[in-house]
Every structure is written in structure tokens, then in C-alpha cells.
Amino acid sequence: MARTVIYERVALIGLGLIAGSMGLRMKRDGLAGEVVGTARSAKTRDMAVGLGLCDRVTDTAAEAVQDADLVVLCVPVGAMEDVAREIGPHLKPGATVSDVGSVKRAVAEAIGPHLPDGVDFIPAHPLAGTEHSGPESGFPELFDNRWCLLTPVTDSPDAVERLTRFWRAMGSNVETMDADHHDLVLAVTSHAPHLIAYTMVGVADDLRRVTDSEVIKYSAAGFRDFTRIAASDPVMWRDVFLNNKDATLEILGRFTEELFSLQRAIRKGDGEMLHEYFTRTRAIRRGVIEAGQDTDKPDFGRGTKP
Amino acid sequence: MARTVIYERVALIGLGLIAGSMGLRMKRDGLAGEVVGTARSAKTRDMAVGLGLCDRVTDTAAEAVQDADLVVLCVPVGAMEDVAREIGPHLKPGATVSDVGSVKRAVAEAIGPHLPDGVDFIPAHPLAGTEHSGPESGFPELFDNRWCLLTPVTDSPDAVERLTRFWRAMGSNVETMDADHHDLVLAVTSHAPHLIAYTMVGVADDLRRVTDSEVIKYSAAGFRDFTRIAASDPVMWRDVFLNNKDATLEILGRFTEELFSLQRAIRKGDGEMLHEYFTRTRAIRRGVIEAGQDTDKPDFGRGTKP
């Protein structure tokens, strides 16, 4: 692959799994002239340098964004506003500011007011992750064949085109959409399923007194998959739910309604209804596989850390 | 591995994923003198012979059990009673009858009354499977390091010991327990999670008119995993829910209660409660990995069909 620098200097604010993977990919493929990183903890900053995911680290976000052409906020959604307030006065005119948060309306509203004129603001959400957190969990292939959704605030087509090129170079497919629409789609495909998995794992934990450790010992397909989902970063997910409240509650409302109707079918012994329902959901699985968002292999089509 | 015949003749009634994998393992390791199979459909019977998972097939279950030392019912839970009624008069004295159904109390009650005296009845449940069905999806390693739970009805320790040896030779860990206890544990670890996944996928399907095919296109971690669970065999799962009604409804009741309390926390913006909850569920994940029932690799520790 030809090495093409897309941004001369990139600043990563927050150095977790996503930033770590971005840094490794940029360094591997020469997508940035220089990658500067910062994180609140000195230990994380040292680790980032040691892992080679950025060229240098700074103690503060204000320093990190100095002369940066692209600034990516990779902190939990609830921390975005403080970071934006800190970096606002230090941004280079013409810089692009983006983020990797899982909700987009609330993030746009938290960051936007702190950005000066002459900066292009393009919130982004790479649909990628694993159950692990921290820069040491990152790997350069994390974004391969995953979607990155942009919800641009800027009016500049050039800035959007450049960030699109950047994410394509990271391995992603890129699409642009409205922030509210993003939040509704993600409530269905990610936020509600996560809350449900967290809930079921919590229920099982309560029952451990009844069944001792058997719930874990005999953890079968189903629960085992839920525990994986429910092992995701607690701070990130707290912030997701607090910042995509309406769409998540709306989907959970529909979910409960539907669950009650299936419970009633079980109670009444309505096998026909159950069979029809399960046949329909099976067909959806085929759609997901055909859309290339999973394979029918047991590795779930996920990128594996080599 | 030394080839030790454990049962001289084994009859597999029903030839799906589980029976297919059992047959391939028995043939590979020489665990049975002869493996006889039967299935309702002629196409499935022909396929089973072609795949080499049994030595011969018969048109009826009554013929298949002739002179068999071990008879394993591998049909959906709802079909167990009819099969038991058919084979009862043809069983060899001293034979062991078992099954692979996902619920144990209802299965024991459906099969038991049709078995003659002098036959050892030991219901069993191998906790193994994939999202695929049919004998062509079987592979001999399916049971490796998975649990097989026995809920013996027979008083013969020898018969139980022999079936335990058989399942260990299939690669499983084996434990014996009471049928009701089995059904409660499985309601938590498998049945309720499956119903929940089916429900969430159904909700997403309803929403496709709103969000077009985006729910599938942007199918992220979470929903994607749910679609896998919700792709399991519809007949098998209909029968599971109809036959483990009380335990499943009990767990779903607790689940809904808990979900409501998390929904309320989201609505009220109680970040502390959410963070605490998600931290607790993350710890449970570690327990599952430590128990060897999953790995932290993206393949979920599942056996992969080679």
C-alpha cells in the first residue's frame, strides 16, 4: 500500500482501546506525519509511547492539540465537554475536530459550543471494539471492514472528504448521517442490547446464592455471550446510557412489550406463535451475515488481536 | 488414544447436529461396535450414511433400537414421547436409554412411562451446540471440554458409570444432578438468555421500516451477538420454552424487575448506580473465563468446525 500522509499532525486525546488502535494503524501505514497523544494518567501516557502508538505524549490536552491538523477526542462521552473547553483556545485555525463517542447528538452539543470559528467539527463513531479496554488492547486491524459513521457539523465538504479518506485508510467503510438518526439506529443495534446483557448477567449474579457457582460453571451459549457483552467498559457505557437516554428508553419500552407477549405465549403454551417468531428472527441472522457484519464462523467475524 | 468400545451397539434416534457430532466422534475413536441411526426424513438418513456418522440407517426407530446397548433420543423435546412410545416394546433388556434434550424434568416424564422394566433410563444434556442445525453441521470435537449433565432415573450405578465413561470419551466433563435443579440452572444460563435475544432481534425487525436496512448494515457488537443466539433451531427452542415453562418464567420475571430498575436509573440520570452495576457484571465475566467455559479470545472458546 502506498504510504500517504492524510494529516500532517494528529492529536489523540485519551489513549484507550480505540485511540490505541488508531495510533497503531496510523504508524503502520504512515497516515500521519506525527501522532501526538495525551491521557490523564502518566502510566497510560508512558505505555502509549512504549507501545509505539504515538510519536510523543504531552501532559495536557491543550499542549497535544498545538498545531494539530486533526484532533480526535477519544475520552468517555461524559468527559467530552471538559476536554473541548480545555482545547478550544489552543486549536489551530483550519483544524478538524472529531471524536469516537458512541452517541452523537449529546456529544455534538457538548463539544460544539467550545470550538472557535474556522475549525471544522465532524463527530464520528467507529463501530468497533472488543471486550477489553486500554491502549495495550489496541491493534491496527480493529477497524477493518467495520463502519465509521460521520455526523458532520461543518459546512466544508473538503473537511468531510478528508476525514472520510482518513477512516477508509484505517480500514473502515464510511457513511454520513444525521446525529439523531445515528442515535436511534445505535440504540437498536448496540445500546439496548448492551443494557439487556448487563441486566441478565446481574440477575444471574443475584441467583448465585441459590445455585452456587453453577451459573458460571455451566455457562452455556447464551449466557456466556451475554457475559462478554456485559464485560465492556463501565464508564463508557454509563455515559452512553446517560447521553442517549430517549432513544434507549424508547427501544427498551418496545422490547419489554414484546418480551411480555412472548412470556404470555409460553405461559399459555402457544407453540405456534413461538415457532413463527423464532423462524422470523433466524432469517434476520442471514441478513447480518450477508451484510458482511459477521460471518457464520465461530469467531463472530471479529478482528483478532494477533 | 486406545480404542475402547464402550457400547457394542449404539442407536441414534434423530440425526441433527448433536447426533451427527456424536456419531462422528464414536466412529473416529471407535467408541461403539456399531452405530445405527434413524431419522424421519429419507434425505437426512442418506446424508448421515454419506457423512459416515453411522454404519447403517433404518427406516423406523423401532428397527434402530433392535439389540442396541445404548439408545440416545436426539429429537426435539416435544417429539420425545412419541419416540419413546414407539421404541419401548423393542428395547433390549439391560439396554441404557438416554437423550440429549435441553430440559430434563419434562423429558423424563415424557419418556419414562413408556420404558419397560429392566432398562436403565439416564436423561442427559450435553451443553454444546452451534447456530447451525442438521447432521452436515456436526463435527467430532463439538463436546470437547463442554459439560454433559446427567439426571439419572435408574438405580444402577454401573449404568450411570458407563454412560459417564461414554461422555468423557466424547470429550465432555460429566456431572450428575437432579432434573429440577438442572432446569433451573439452565433457565438462567441458557433458556432466558435465548428468549431475550429472540425478543431483541424481533424488536429490531419491527423497526426496519423506520430505519430501513440500517439495523442490519450497522449491526454492531451486541445486536450482532444476539442475532447469532436468535438463529438457533426454532423447533428445538419452542419445545424448550414449552417444557421448562415455570423456571423460564421465574427468571424472566426477575429479569424484567431488574431491567425496570436500570431503566429508572437511566431516566433519572443515576450514573453512580449504572457504573456500580456494570462494574459488578464485568467481574462475572472473569469468573466465566476462569471456569474455562470461554476464553477471552474472539472465538468465544467454541469448537470450530475444521
Side-chain angles (χ1 to χ4, degrees):
Chain A
M1 186 192 291
R3 297 188 160 233
T4 315
V5 170
I6 299 176
Y7 292 99
E8 203 42 60
R9 183 178 293 178
V10 176
L12 300 173
I13 314 299
L15 296 168
L17 168 70
I18 298 290
S21 300
M22 291 177 71
L24 292 172
R25 180 66 170 238
M26 284 189 274
K27 295 315 297 173
R28 193 193 78 180
D29 293 349
L31 306 177
E34 189 187 32
V35 180
V36 185
T38 189
R40 275 195 309 184
S41 117
K43 199 181 141 211
T44 304
R45 294 196 298 263
D46 290 345
M47 197 187 289
V49 173
L51 292 164
L53 64 89
C54 49
D55 298 295
R56 61 184 173 89
V57 288
T58 63
D59 287 354
T60 68
E63 291 169 83
V65 305
Q66 214 80 49
D67 280 324
D69 303 287
L70 172 65
V71 175
V72 189
L73 278 58
C74 306
V75 297
V77 167
M80 295 281 185
E81 181 159 17
D82 284 346
V83 172
R85 189 180 295 114
E86 181 187 346
I87 64 172
H90 305 279
L91 292 165
K92 172 164 116 172
T96 289
V97 173
S98 189
D99 74 303
V100 297
S102 303
V103 303
K104 297 269 63 85
R105 171 61 58 205
V107 164
E109 285 172 2
I111 297 175
H114 301 286
L115 303 183
D117 288 343
V119 157
D120 293 307
F121 181 32
I122 312 172
H125 180 201
L127 307 187
T130 74
E131 65 178 299
H132 303 293
S133 343
E136 70 280 15
S137 308
F139 53 101
E141 302 83 7
L142 178 63
F143 309 106
D144 278 345
N145 199 28
R146 302 269 78 100
W147 285 93
C148 183
L149 305 180
L150 309 184
T151 60
V153 174
T154 181
D155 290 327
S156 161
D158 286 354
V160 175
E161 188 276 327
R162 197 172 174 193
L163 191 64
T164 300
R165 208 145 34 89
F166 175 78
W167 275 106
R168 290 211 172 112
M170 307 286 282
S172 291
N173 306 312
V174 181
E175 202 116 318
T176 292
M177 62 175 62
D178 171 74
D180 290 325
H181 187 72
H182 167 279
D183 289 354
L184 176 63
V185 172
L186 267 288
V188 181
T189 60
S190 175
H191 306 170
H194 270 79
L195 195 78
I196 289 164
Y198 277 122
T199 305
M200 187 62 222
V201 174
V203 169
D205 189 44
D206 288 344
L207 282 163
R208 280 175 74 182
R209 261 153 297 159
V210 183
T211 58
D212 205 331
S213 69
E214 290 173 317
V215 166
I216 281 175
K217 188 169 169 187
Y218 305 127
S219 181
F223 183 67
R224 190 176 52 189
D225 303 342
F226 280 33
T227 63
R228 168 183 288 268
I229 302 172
S232 304
D233 186 57
V235 173
M236 172 189 154
W237 282 98
R238 176 198 66 194
D239 288 357
V240 165
F241 296 123
L242 295 180
N243 289 285
N244 195 17
K245 201 181 272 199
D246 294 346
T248 304
L249 291 175
E250 156 76 16
I251 300 303
L252 290 174
R254 286 169 183 255
F255 169 83
T256 312
E257 211 175 271
E258 198 94 351
L259 182 61
F260 283 166
S261 98
L262 284 166
Q263 276 180 249
R264 199 176 53 231
I266 293 174
R267 200 180 298 278
K268 291 166 69 182
D270 186 348
E272 205 172 313
M273 189 272 202
L274 295 173
H275 184 259
E276 218 167 83
Y277 200 96
F278 301 162
T279 303
R280 184 160 67 91
T281 56
R282 185 175 229 191
I284 297 172
R285 173 76 185 158
R286 277 197 294 274
V288 171
I289 291 171
E290 281 161 18
Q293 289 309 294
D294 202 350
T295 71
D296 58 357
K297 297 272 168 50
D299 77 348
F300 275 50
R302 288 207 185 83
T304 309
K305 184 170 173 164
Chain B
M1 187 193 292
R3 298 187 160 237
T4 316
V5 170
I6 299 176
Y7 293 99
E8 204 42 63
R9 183 177 292 177
V10 176
L12 300 173
I13 314 299
L15 296 167
L17 167 70
I18 298 291
S21 300
M22 291 177 71
L24 291 172
R25 180 67 170 236
M26 283 189 274
K27 294 315 298 173
R28 192 193 79 180
D29 292 348
L31 306 177
E34 187 186 35
V35 180
V36 185
T38 188
R40 275 194 310 185
S41 117
K43 198 181 140 211
T44 304
R45 293 196 298 264
D46 290 347
M47 197 188 291
V49 173
L51 292 164
L53 65 89
C54 49
D55 298 296
R56 62 184 172 87
V57 288
T58 62
D59 288 352
T60 68
E63 290 168 84
V65 304
Q66 214 81 46
D67 280 324
D69 303 287
L70 172 66
V71 174
V72 189
L73 279 59
C74 306
V75 297
V77 167
M80 295 281 185
E81 181 158 19
D82 284 348
V83 171
R85 190 181 293 114
E86 181 187 345
I87 64 172
H90 305 278
L91 292 164
K92 171 165 115 171
T96 290
V97 173
S98 189
D99 75 304
V100 296
S102 304
V103 304
K104 298 271 62 88
R105 171 60 58 206
V107 164
E109 285 171 1
I111 296 174
H114 301 285
L115 302 183
D117 288 342
V119 157
D120 293 307
F121 181 33
I122 311 172
H125 180 201
L127 306 189
T130 74
E131 69 181 290
H132 303 291
S133 342
E136 70 280 15
S137 308
F139 53 103
E141 301 83 7
L142 178 63
F143 310 106
D144 278 345
N145 199 30
R146 302 269 77 102
W147 285 93
C148 183
L149 305 179
L150 309 184
T151 61
V153 176
T154 181
D155 290 328
S156 161
D158 286 356
V160 174
E161 189 276 324
R162 197 173 175 192
L163 190 64
T164 299
R165 208 147 31 91
F166 175 78
W167 274 106
R168 292 212 171 111
M170 307 286 281
S172 291
N173 306 312
V174 180
E175 203 115 320
T176 293
M177 62 175 63
D178 171 74
D180 289 326
H181 187 70
H182 167 279
D183 289 354
L184 176 63
V185 172
L186 268 288
V188 180
T189 59
S190 175
H191 306 170
H194 270 80
L195 195 77
I196 288 164
Y198 277 122
T199 304
M200 187 62 223
V201 174
V203 168
D205 189 43
D206 288 343
L207 282 164
R208 280 176 73 182
R209 262 153 297 159
V210 183
T211 58
D212 206 329
S213 69
E214 290 173 316
V215 166
I216 283 177
K217 188 169 168 189
Y218 304 127
S219 180
F223 183 68
R224 189 175 57 189
D225 303 343
F226 279 32
T227 64
R228 168 182 287 267
I229 302 172
S232 304
D233 186 58
V235 172
M236 171 188 153
W237 282 98
R238 175 198 66 195
D239 288 358
V240 165
F241 295 122
L242 295 180
N243 288 284
N244 196 16
K245 201 181 274 199
D246 294 346
T248 303
L249 291 176
E250 155 75 14
I251 300 303
L252 291 174
R254 286 169 183 254
F255 169 83
T256 311
E257 212 175 89
E258 198 94 350
L259 181 63
F260 283 165
S261 97
L262 284 166
Q263 276 179 250
R264 200 177 50 231
I266 293 175
R267 199 181 299 278
K268 292 166 67 184
D270 186 348
E272 205 172 315
M273 188 273 201
L274 295 173
H275 184 258
E276 217 168 82
Y277 200 96
F278 302 161
T279 303
R280 185 160 66 90
T281 57
R282 184 175 229 193
I284 298 171
R285 172 76 185 159
R286 276 198 294 276
V288 171
I289 291 171
E290 279 160 19
Q293 289 309 292
D294 202 350
T295 71
D296 58 357
K297 296 271 168 51
D299 77 346
F300 276 51
R302 289 206 184 83
T304 310
K305 184 169 177 168

